[in-house]
């Protein structure tokens, strides 16, 4: 009987790392959600997908990113295991699921505009006298106060939904 050589797949641990730095102006606040793939928390370099947000929202893939699981200003959580073949193939379903598309960017903008417009309407109905401040000025004030935190919460929800999708597709194993 011939012997078959089968090697078990190499698995990467997936962590989601969140980092947010508030600013005094809307365009100064910055945040990053890192999708960190590593074989050990102590690896010196890791494979990372970053979601950047603040003035605008986009993603990037980094094959040899410096270790980012131990930074003081981050919050990290183990999500599960991913077959290494999905990490090495940049066209894999895992990599594609974590990309930020133009559709994602447009959806975020539409959701923010809807939220901000509702806030303007509510504020005016509650205690604004007509002509006291323009809708545009009020929306700018609301953006300064709420936009960064709203974006952070929205993208954390998106990260959770994408993680659940990977679990549902059995691309991520708990």
């Amino acid at each position: 009987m011939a012997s078959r050589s089968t090697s078990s797949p190499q698995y990467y641990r997936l962590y989601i790392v969140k980092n947010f730095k508030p600013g005094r102006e809307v365009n100064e606040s910055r945040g990053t959600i890192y999708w960190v793939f590593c074989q050990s928390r102590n690896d010196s370099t890791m494979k990372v997908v970053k979601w950047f947000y603040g003035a605008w929202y986009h993603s990037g893939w980094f094959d040899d990113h410096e270790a980012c699981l131990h930074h003081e200003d981050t919050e990290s959580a183990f999500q599960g295991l991913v077959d290494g073949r999905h990490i090495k193939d940049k066209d894999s379903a895992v990599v594609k699921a974590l990309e930020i598309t133009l559709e994602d960017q447009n959806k975020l903008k539409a959701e923010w505009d809807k939220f901000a417009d509702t806030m303007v309407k509510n504020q005016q109905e509650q205690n604004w006298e007509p002509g006291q401040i323009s809708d545009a000025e009020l929306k700018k004030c609301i953006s300064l106060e709420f936009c960064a935190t709203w974006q952070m919460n929205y993208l954390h929800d998106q990260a959770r939904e994408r993680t659940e999708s990977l679990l549902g597709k059995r691309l991520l194993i708990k």
Side-chain angles (χ1 to χ4, degrees):
M1 192 182 239
S3 168
R4 279 197 204 168
S5 173
T6 60
S7 60
S8 58
Q10 181 182 23
Y11 284 92
Y12 282 78
R13 299 170 66 85
L14 170 60
Y15 293 87
I16 293 181
V17 179
K18 300 170 185 173
N19 182 326
F20 180 71
K21 294 181 170 62
R24 293 184 309 186
E25 298 288 331
V26 173
N27 292 334
E28 290 178 0
S29 296
R30 297 281 184 263
T32 309
I33 296 176
Y34 301 82
W35 299 80
V36 179
F37 299 93
C38 59
Q39 294 181 313
S40 165
R41 285 185 64 88
N42 298 322
D43 290 352
S44 60
T45 61
M46 301 171 175
K47 297 179 183 314
V48 175
V49 175
K50 287 185 183 181
W51 286 6
F52 303 94
Y53 59 97
W56 60 293
Y57 165 48
H58 65 287
S59 64
W61 178 270
F62 303 88
D63 274 325
D64 295 312
H65 192 278
E66 70 178 56
C68 55
L69 292 176
H70 302 292
H71 294 182
E72 293 174 14
D73 58 349
T74 61
E75 165 195 341
S76 66
F78 176 69
Q79 301 300 308
L81 300 172
V82 177
D83 187 324
R85 293 175 291 198
H86 293 295
I87 306 309
K88 295 173 183 164
D89 177 7
K90 300 303 182 260
D91 292 322
S92 76
V94 171
V95 174
K96 294 293 184 194
L98 300 181
E99 288 179 347
I100 302 299
T101 65
L102 181 58
E103 182 181 326
D104 295 325
Q105 293 171 350
N106 291 337
K107 184 178 177 189
L108 177 134
K109 181 173 179 353
E111 291 290 325
W112 165 252
D113 286 342
K114 181 178 167 183
F115 173 82
D117 291 343
T118 300
M119 292 283 292
V120 167
K121 182 180 175 191
N122 290 344
Q123 197 67 26
Q124 287 178 335
E125 287 174 359
Q126 288 177 6
N127 56 5
W128 239 253
E129 297 202 21
Q132 184 180 11
I133 188 170
S134 71
D135 288 358
E137 283 295 315
L138 183 53
K139 190 170 182 176
K140 182 179 179 182
C141 292
I142 288 169
S143 292
L144 288 170
E145 188 169 346
F146 297 106
C147 186
T149 303
W150 182 91
Q151 261 192 358
M152 177 186 67
N153 291 331
Y154 178 87
L155 294 172
H156 288 187
D157 289 346
Q158 291 296 307
R160 184 183 29 75
E161 288 174 16
R162 298 224 186 163
T163 301
E164 289 171 3
S165 174
L166 292 174
L167 284 166
K169 295 175 183 174
R170 302 191 54 80
L171 296 169
L172 177 64
I173 302 163
K174 277 281 188 185

